[in-house]
Each structure stands twice: as C-alpha cells, then as structure tokens.
Amino acid sequence: RQDGSSRPGSPIWGRSSPPRGVSTGTSTGTGTAGPGDGSVVLLRSAREIKATVGGLDTVGIEQGAAVLDRAAQKLREVMPGPAVERVMAGLAQRVDVNDAVGHWWTAQDDVDTPAELSERMDDFFESMRFDPCSVVLLVGHSLFLQAMMRRFISPQLAEAAPELTQRLKESKLVNCGCLGLDVEFAEGDGTPTVVDAKLMFGSRCVAK
C-alpha cells in the first residue's frame, strides 16, 4: 500500500494472469473461490500473447471461480490430495477473479493484433497505476513481458544498461524467472515508463 502497510497475510499484493498464474502460484479450488480479500487478483490483460493461429498455450477452458477449480484439478495430478485441499482453501480466501469471466482468452483460431495488444498494455498499466499498493507482484508470461520491455523501457535505462535492456527486448525470461521493475507514470496522461530493471534470484534471459 502507499502507506507501507499490507493486507493481513499478504506482504505483497499479488497480481496474476489467468489461469496459469493461479496454477503456477499457490493454488486453491473447492468451488468457493473469489472474490476473496483481493491479495491475489486475476487480470485478463496480463495473459500471454497469441502470435500464431492454432496454438493452445493461451487458450482458456474455465472462467470465474471455475479457474481455481481447474487449478485444483491439475494440482491433484502431481500433489497428495490433503496438501492440495489445504493450499486451495487458503488461496480461495485471497483470490479475486476480477475480469477473468466470459471469454477472457484469445481463441485458438485467432491471434492478438498489434492494436489489441496495445490496448491490453494500456489496460494492464492502468490497473498498476491505480493499484492501492506501492509494490505489486505479477505472475505473467514471457512474450507479454518482452512486448512490454520493447514498448516502455526508458531511453535513459537503455543507455545505462544496454546489454540488459537489449536482452529483455529480444530474449525470453527463463521459466520461473523473476525480474524487478521500477515504473514511473507521467503526470497528466499517466504514460508508463520502465526506469529501472534487475534480474533477481539468479534469473536470466534465454534464447527466443
């Protein structure tokens, strides 16, 4: 939060793009999901970019609370039942499904056009701009992050860290990698600019 406080049990207000963000993080799902306390919020704007017709990586199956039920179903395939139920019960108290309702994904026979992606980026950063927390943790996707870096890295950062910024624009963040960003919003129109970036916890960029 702006005042430095945090919600109970949530030192960082998480942000997640449905549904992989849910199954990647701590998960839930017993049919009692969202709106929780909002410490984890699903954002359709942060879903992966779909660049080719026919691809399945960005195609969703469920919406709303059923996203968490789906996450629970997949977790049961790799975790003991009691552990899944405990994890999912905790997450159900935290997740706000927000706008992950209706047909929130890009269809298998469709692609994300440049205009649609630009609109999604604007929606995403508007969510970040008006978030009540000063620190946000986003569970997202590599192509979305790459497109973000290409559009919003400041000239000053590109000059100060040319190797890093070039890698962020041209390569993918490794699976489960972590990138810390400082973003400033212009007074008036609120245009976002990435003014600092740091690969964290041994994370690295890999080939396209």
Side-chain angles (χ1 to χ4, degrees), residues 17-21 24 46-49 57 138-146:
S17 51
R20 193 194 304 170
T24 300
R47 68 185 185 274
E48 182 62 300
I49 297 172
D57 187 49
L138 172 72
V139 180
H141 305 280
S142 57
L143 294 180
F144 184 82
L145 175 63
Q146 187 182 73

Side-chain angles (χ1 to χ4, degrees), residues 50-131:
K50 191 168 187 298
T52 57
V53 173
L56 294 172
D57 187 49
T58 60
V59 176
I61 297 175
E62 304 291 356
Q63 61 162 318
V67 171
L68 301 181
D69 294 333
R70 172 73 173 173
Q73 175 188 337
K74 301 308 290 184
L75 275 180
R76 291 186 187 102
E77 296 176 5
V78 296
M79 290 177 63
V84 172
E85 303 313 316
R86 287 194 301 271
V87 168
M88 297 305 288
L91 193 58
Q93 298 174 11
R94 294 171 173 81
V95 170
D96 180 355
V97 298
N98 190 39
D99 60 358
V101 293
H103 195 141
W104 56 261
W105 57 88
T106 305
Q108 183 179 359
D109 59 353
D110 200 1
V111 296
D112 292 316
T113 67
E116 290 168 340
L117 180 57
S118 179
E119 183 177 353
R120 275 176 53 194
M121 289 285 181
D122 291 342
D123 288 345
F124 169 77
F125 275 110
E126 282 296 280
S127 297
M128 299 300 101
R129 179 187 177 195
F130 293 107
D131 195 289

Side-chain angles (χ1 to χ4, degrees), residues 15-31:
R15 284 289 187 262
S16 172
S17 51
R20 193 194 304 170
V22 174
S23 56
T24 300
T26 345
S27 274
T28 174
T30 54

Side-chain angles (χ1 to χ4, degrees), residues 167 172-175 177-178 199-207:
R167 279 185 291 161
K172 294 182 179 180
L173 186 65
V174 68
N175 285 347
C178 184
L199 292 167
M200 304 178 71
F201 310 117
S203 300
R204 57 190 174 85
C205 294
V206 295

